[in-house]
Amino acid sequence: QVQLVESGGGLVQAGGSLRLSCSAARSIFRISAMGWYRQPPGKQRELVATITTGGSLNYAESVKGRFTISRDNARNTVYLQMNSLKPDDTAVYYCKASNSFSAYWGQGTQVTVSS
């Protein structure tokens, strides 16, 4: 059963911007943190950014100053604003939600940055 739905991926030129959104189903009990991960072609999945219910933030060094994560707790939605995009940002981006029992993943959305 699909419990996380991502949107906002696409193709953009280097230097451009995209905004990703992810909505979690209310059936996921007491979400404590949400975040974004990505998997470039031929590489392992890696952390991009996370945010807790209390607002604590964590970013990968490669995206600091360019990406911003935010969360609407009332709507169970997390966003990723991506600015100054680089070809190295090309990847499938996955949304993640966590609670005390498990981690839940979205299906992924493709982001392609051309040079």
Side-chain angles (χ1 to χ4, degrees):
Q1 183 179 359
V2 176
Q3 298 187 84
L4 296 173
V5 180
E6 301 125 320
S7 63
L11 192 155
V12 64
Q13 291 187 344
S17 298
L18 287 172
R19 182 176 175 85
L20 306 182
S21 299
C22 173
S23 295
R26 289 292 183 180
S27 59
I28 302 179
F29 184 70
R30 292 182 181 177
I31 294 172
S32 60
M34 298 185 74
W36 293 93
Y37 295 72
R38 67 187 183 187
Q39 186 168 15
K43 299 181 180 179
Q44 298 292 316
R45 188 175 300 184
E46 63 185 21
L47 180 146
V48 178
T50 61
I51 184 168
T52 68
T53 302
S56 181
L57 304 172
N58 185 33
Y59 292 96
E61 288 294 326
S62 60
V63 307
K64 285 183 178 178
R66 301 188 298 121
F67 291 10
T68 303
I69 189 170
S70 60
R71 181 180 179 183
D72 184 341
N73 291 333
R75 298 174 62 183
N76 261 22
T77 300
V78 66
Y79 306 93
L80 185 68
Q81 179 66 47
M82 304 185 292
N83 299 326
S84 302
L85 283 162
K86 306 174 180 179
D88 285 348
D89 295 319
T90 295
V92 178
Y93 283 69
Y94 295 91
C95 179
K96 179 185 178 183
S98 300
N99 60 19
S100 298
F101 309 104
S102 187
Y104 305 84
W105 294 90
Q107 309 96 315
T109 184
Q110 177 70 48
V111 171
T112 302
V113 184
S114 64
S115 60

